Amino acid sequence: MEHMMGLLRIHVQKGVNLAVRDVLSSDPYIIIRMGKQKVKTKVVKKSINPEWNDDLTLSISDPSLPVQLFVHDKDTFSLDDKMGDAEFDISPFVEAVKMRPQGVPNDTIVKRVQPSRQNCLAEESHIVWRDGKVVQNMVLRLRNVESGEVELQLHWIDIPGAKAL
């Protein structure tokens, strides 16, 4: 990877009130894309409120690229159904990581990201200092679907020898 800055660990926590795509429920999974990278969660059977608790990792060389999230319903005998999508910007998170806050108390809010027309945040997202790391929790409202939100947590992983932030 040329000019890799580090790794972004995305902890996909859960989905809330996702759309029904099968008879009474759905079998949701998430695909996350950034540039040419693509990672995927496991499928949770028969749930519109799935708990994935999956950790997905992207290597970051260009933090200006949007992170795209696609929710799908796994089908056995046909193409998987779309259950909405969302997009978020990691620039504020990367800026907070660059600040390298030291000696601040746990759970200090380093930066706040407001919901806007340019992002899919359902509520204000806080970037906090926790246990010596910068962490961001976010709730994304899904687009192009009747309902649904996805809860994520972002973590930064430094790579020895990578381009310094």
Side-chain angles (χ1 to χ4, degrees):
M1 280 268 152
E2 69 177 72
H3 308 304
M4 192 159 71
M5 301 167 75
L7 299 175
L8 179 69
R9 164 98 19 95
I10 303 170
H11 181 72
V12 182
Q13 293 165 317
K14 63 183 180 177
V16 178
N17 196 23
L18 299 181
V20 173
R21 288 293 182 259
D22 294 335
V23 180
L24 296 170
S25 192
S26 293
D27 303 315
Y29 67 93
I30 292 179
I31 293 173
I32 293 179
R33 288 180 185 222
M34 184 180 194
K36 294 179 180 162
Q37 300 176 77
K38 177 177 155 183
V39 290
K40 186 173 148 183
T41 66
K42 63 184 179 262
V43 175
V44 176
K45 297 279 187 198
K46 296 185 177 14
S47 179
I48 58 167
N49 295 297
E51 294 206 16
W52 286 284
N53 286 315
D54 267 3
D55 285 323
L56 306 175
T57 306
L58 296 170
S59 52
I60 306 301
S61 50
D62 181 359
S64 67
L65 288 175
V67 177
Q68 299 170 307
L69 180 142
F70 303 92
V71 184
H72 294 275
D73 169 50
K74 182 76 178 151
D75 285 330
T76 308
F77 301 110
S78 61
L79 290 173
D80 293 353
D81 300 311
K82 292 181 177 164
M83 294 175 64
D85 62 88
E87 190 172 281
F88 61 94
D89 177 17
I90 62 164
S91 298
F93 180 73
V94 171
E95 286 169 26
V97 171
K98 284 180 185 174
M99 289 163 54
R100 302 253 181 240
Q102 298 296 322
V104 278
N106 243 3
D107 295 322
T108 297
I109 296 174
V110 179
K111 197 171 193 112
R112 298 172 195 267
V113 184
Q114 300 296 330
S116 71
R117 290 177 184 256
Q118 283 71 47
N119 64 37
C120 294
L121 292 174
E123 58 192 37
E124 183 178 84
S125 174
H126 296 160
I127 302 172
V128 299
W129 178 256
R130 182 173 302 137
D131 301 326
K133 291 185 166 53
V134 175
V135 176
Q136 181 176 6
N137 289 306
M138 55 174 63
V139 178
L140 299 174
R141 183 169 289 127
L142 297 175
R143 307 179 289 200
N144 305 312
V145 69
E146 53 275 18
S147 68
E149 293 178 347
V150 174
E151 295 182 19
L152 306 174
Q153 187 177 68
L154 305 183
H155 298 262
W156 185 260
I157 301 169
D158 283 316
I159 297 175
K163 185 169 85 174
L165 281 183

